[in-house]
């Protein structure tokens, strides 16, 4: 899952980024409102952590611009304690949740997981596409209740595919969700991970959970159970 962090205080921005990376997110960092706006429009992400008090365009303006441009990504706003009333305005402008500084990092990560789940139409921590079951709090996969070992990248890719089960996902969008660093992105790598996932999810080639859509990308075809 890819998260955009827009925060001008460098110490907090770094703390946020390392905590999110440690929790398995891919992180983009923006140091002010203008950069945040640029990322939000050009790099699709799964959630935004947005400080309201920013140089350049402030957080409230970003929310308004994204929402009016149809960017529906879940937004978690950060507000200074002295400006707590801003959170009301932020929520009214279209933010989804807020935290008042200082906050506990685990709380922020838990809130982000909830926001992303809700935005994807999932109401709990398990993504079930029987016989596949992904436990997002533990970061594990089970097939008919039997645990399967996945590497970090395999897990990330599968999580994204299962969250969007039934949708065609381009190799480009998949690589963007796997790698923060553009220099590391190579859509050929996705083919390798898909092949490895297929052999783990479907060793006998009987279920064919991941369909290749020629010229378009991949689709997780095993239906999800709500
Ligand atoms: Ca600030």
């Amino acid at each position: 899952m890819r998260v955009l962090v827009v925060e001008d205080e460098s110490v907090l921005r770094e703390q946020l980024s390392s905590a999110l990376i440690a929790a398995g997110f891919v992180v983009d960092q923006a140091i002010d409102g203008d950069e945040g706006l640029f990322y939000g429009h050009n790099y699709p992400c799964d959630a935004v952590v947005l400080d309201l008090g920013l140089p350049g365009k402030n957080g409230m303006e970003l929310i308004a611009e994204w929402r009016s441009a149809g960017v529906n990504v879940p937004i978690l706003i950060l507000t200074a304690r002295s400006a707590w009333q801003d959170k009301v305005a932020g929520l009214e402008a279209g933010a989804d949740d807020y935290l008042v500084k200082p906050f506990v990092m685990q709380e922020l990560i838990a809130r982000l997981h909830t926001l992303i789940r809700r935005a994807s139409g999932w109401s709990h921590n398990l993504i079930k596409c029987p016989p596949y079951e992904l436990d997002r709090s533990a970061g594990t996969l089970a097939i008919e209740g039997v645990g399967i070992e996945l590497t970090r990248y395999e897990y990330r890719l599968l999580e994204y595919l299962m969250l969007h089960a039934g949708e065609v996902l381009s190799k480009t969008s998949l690589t963007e969700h796997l790698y923060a660093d553009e220099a590391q992105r190579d859509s050929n790598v996705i083919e390798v991970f898909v092949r490895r996932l297929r052999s783990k999810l479907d060793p006998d080639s009987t279920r064919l959970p991941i369909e290749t859509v020629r010229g378009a990308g991949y689709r997780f075809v095993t239906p999800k159970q709500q």
Side-chain angles (χ1 to χ4, degrees), residues 6-9 12 31 51-55 78 80 101:
V6 191
E7 169 61 72
D8 59 310
E9 291 163 50
L12 180 56
I31 62 166
D51 180 32
L52 283 185
L54 293 167
L78 305 178
K101 296 177 187 176

Side-chain angles (χ1 to χ4, degrees), residues 1 24 26 127 134 150-165 169-179 187-198 201 210 218 220:
M1 300 286 113
V26 172
I127 308 177
L134 211 59
L150 295 179
T151 65
R152 192 181 179 83
Y153 283 123
E154 289 166 356
Y155 176 85
R156 277 189 193 168
L157 179 60
L158 180 61
E159 180 186 52
Y160 199 64
L161 284 165
M162 284 177 71
L163 270 175
H164 296 275
L169 303 171
S170 70
K171 283 188 202 170
T172 311
S173 77
L174 291 171
T175 40
E176 280 172 0
H177 282 84
L178 283 193
Y179 297 101
S187 57
N188 294 317
V189 170
I190 295 297
E191 292 176 26
V192 176
F193 287 134
V194 166
R195 203 177 313 136
R196 294 203 325 219
L197 273 181
R198 279 177 173 149
L201 295 173
I210 304 172
Y218 298 101
F220 198 84

Side-chain angles (χ1 to χ4, degrees), residues 50-112:
L50 177 65
D51 180 32
L52 283 185
L54 293 167
K57 281 200 156 78
N58 69 35
M60 219 73 86
E61 291 174 278
L62 262 63
I63 300 171
E65 292 206 23
W66 281 328
R67 292 309 188 228
S68 68
V71 176
N72 290 321
V73 63
I75 300 172
L76 174 75
I77 51 177
L78 305 178
T79 64
R81 188 163 294 277
S82 58
W84 60 272
Q85 57 277 55
D86 286 355
K87 68 183 183 245
V88 177
L91 293 173
E92 279 171 355
D96 300 274
D97 199 358
Y98 67 89
L99 279 172
V100 177
K101 296 177 187 176
F103 52 86
V104 177
M105 225 34 104
Q106 287 92 322
E107 175 68 20
L108 176 120
I109 287 164
R111 300 277 191 97
L112 279 182

